[in-house]
Amino acid sequence: MSTAAAPVRQLDARTAGELRQAAQKILDQFGTSATSPELLERVAHTAAQLSDTLKHHCRPVDTADGLFVLRALPVDDEGIGPTPSGWGNAGDSGAVYDIALLLLATVMGNPIAWEGQQDGRFVHNIVPSPGHETEQTGASSTVLLSPHTEDAFHPGRAHLLMLGCMRNHDDIATTAASIRKTRLADADVDVLTQPVLPILPDDAYAEAQGFTEEAAPPVPALYAAEDGMTLRFDPAYTPLDGAGPGYRAAYGRLSDELARVSVAVSLSPGEVLVVDNDLVVHGRVPFRARYDGTDRWLKRASVRVPGRRTRPPAEAGEHGYGQAALEAHVS
């Protein structure tokens, strides 16, 4: 795995101050980052008034890497308090950064939340949690979090994933691999663009796992969009035993190629990793959590980009396992 530097967009001090002041003003007004219709309306209004310089830094991913690191706000390690022991205990910890991430997400598109995940909040806290060490979710620690498309099971998944670093004393890396950097044989592309296997809901969606109204729809792993190849990939939740040997072999070669081009991005506090969820699969290296208030702590936001045409039209007919996405700004 390469440790090559990801593309970086550095906010100057003035622009970083503009973002911090805008977020703090909203927090002062509402006293919480817990999203309400009124707070989301204020976020949308404020985001529209942010400077062109800040908006330029939030422009779409523009390299084959499929990602960039936005160096945004300084983080006071002592001031943010201890790393929560789980998302359910986080409350308003680091609330000003929740709102800053919401502002950035709103400039980039339309933030979404899930009714069945982290109480429907639009910004999630990603921290290691006791009892979840070996799961394939953001609460795990001791296992490799397999490279995957975020919320791959759902047709309404995010176009962009944002990971804002609050604390990372141990330099724990997020892994990322872009389909645009791989080299696949035409025959494998032909196989993998066919809808053969479903992608099942991950362990973070308990209610979705019990959804039995309709059979799990098969979906393609690759799609040839107008501007290049995109992917929908989550091997940990793809029942590969249900496919023939030719498909499994092609899927294995895709996995190998993604591993070959994978990079490790170790975020520092105040950095925001922005991943194009149609181009890049992401994961995380294993680590040993201490549960002493100093563990790695990220904030996560998911963003849809209106008008994007990077997915098969057939996705519109999928049931999404009964899960509903909530849009921050409904036009």
Side-chain angles (χ1 to χ4, degrees):
M1 180 185 300
S2 170
T3 55
V8 173
R9 301 179 186 179
Q10 174 77 58
L11 294 185
D12 59 43
R14 179 176 180 178
T15 309
E18 173 194 7
L19 177 61
R20 174 64 187 241
Q21 291 168 16
Q24 187 65 55
K25 191 172 182 179
I26 294 173
L27 181 60
D28 290 344
Q29 178 181 351
F30 290 90
T32 178
S33 64
T35 43
S36 62
E38 294 78 16
L39 184 144
L40 292 174
E41 182 178 359
R42 179 64 188 279
V43 165
H45 177 75
T46 301
Q49 297 180 319
L50 293 172
S51 68
D52 289 342
T53 299
L54 182 52
K55 291 176 181 176
H56 178 69
H57 280 85
C58 294
R59 66 191 183 277
V61 170
D62 52 10
T63 71
D65 302 275
L67 55 80
F68 62 86
V69 173
L70 180 65
R71 289 180 177 157
L73 298 176
V75 176
D76 179 353
D77 188 69
E78 183 176 346
I80 61 174
T83 300
S85 59
W87 70 262
N89 301 324
D92 274 332
S93 299
V96 72
Y97 298 96
D98 293 346
I99 296 174
L101 207 59
L102 261 181
L103 286 166
L104 292 172
T106 299
V107 173
M108 295 182 193
N110 191 1
I112 61 171
W114 299 94
E115 289 181 346
Q117 196 175 28
Q118 297 209 12
D119 289 339
R121 293 184 76 124
F122 283 86
V123 177
H124 295 171
N125 287 281
I126 307 301
V127 294
S129 300
H132 298 270
E133 288 85 352
T134 61
E135 293 179 354
Q136 284 295 308
T137 69
S140 69
S141 52
T142 61
V143 296
L144 174 74
L145 184 60
S146 299
H148 63 283
T149 301
E150 187 75 0
D151 298 321
F153 74 96
H154 202 283
R157 63 195 178 280
H159 293 107
L160 301 176
L161 175 70
M162 304 176 66
L163 297 173
C165 182
M166 302 291 289
R167 176 174 288 129
N168 191 13
H169 291 173
D170 304 303
D171 294 325
I172 297 159
T174 298
T175 63
S178 171
I179 189 63
R180 301 277 172 90
K181 296 242 176 168
T182 60
R183 294 193 297 265
L184 292 169
D186 291 344
D188 286 342
V189 173
D190 289 343
V191 169
L192 295 170
T193 50
Q194 301 304 311
V196 174
L197 294 173
I199 299 177
L200 304 176
D202 65 53
D203 291 339
Y205 294 89
E207 293 181 3
Q209 292 173 346
F211 184 81
T212 57
E213 182 179 325
E214 300 177 48
V219 301
L222 300 179
Y223 175 65
E226 293 176 357
D227 65 346
M229 194 63 67
T230 63
L231 83 169
R232 185 179 183 182
F233 183 81
D234 194 347
Y237 294 95
T238 299
L240 287 168
D241 290 345
Y247 186 90
R248 293 199 303 271
Y251 196 94
R253 286 188 286 269
L254 171 60
S255 298
D256 290 345
E257 270 297 287
L258 290 170
R260 182 182 68 82
V261 303
S262 182
V263 297
V265 182
S266 180
L267 294 173
S268 298
E271 294 184 335
V272 180
L273 176 62
V274 180
V275 172
D276 189 314
N277 199 40
D278 289 330
L279 304 187
V280 172
V281 291
H282 71 283
R284 189 216 60 243
V285 300
F287 67 99
R288 183 69 62 178
R290 291 181 293 271
Y291 304 125
D292 63 355
T294 67
D295 283 320
R296 177 181 185 255
W297 178 10
L298 303 182
K299 299 277 188 181
R300 180 178 67 197
S302 297
V303 185
R304 285 184 188 158
V305 180
R308 280 194 74 172
R309 300 173 63 182
T310 48
R311 297 173 181 173
E315 288 194 12
E318 294 179 25
H319 52 58
Y321 299 88
Q323 297 302 290
L326 309 173
E327 296 186 357
H329 314 302
V330 180
S331 56

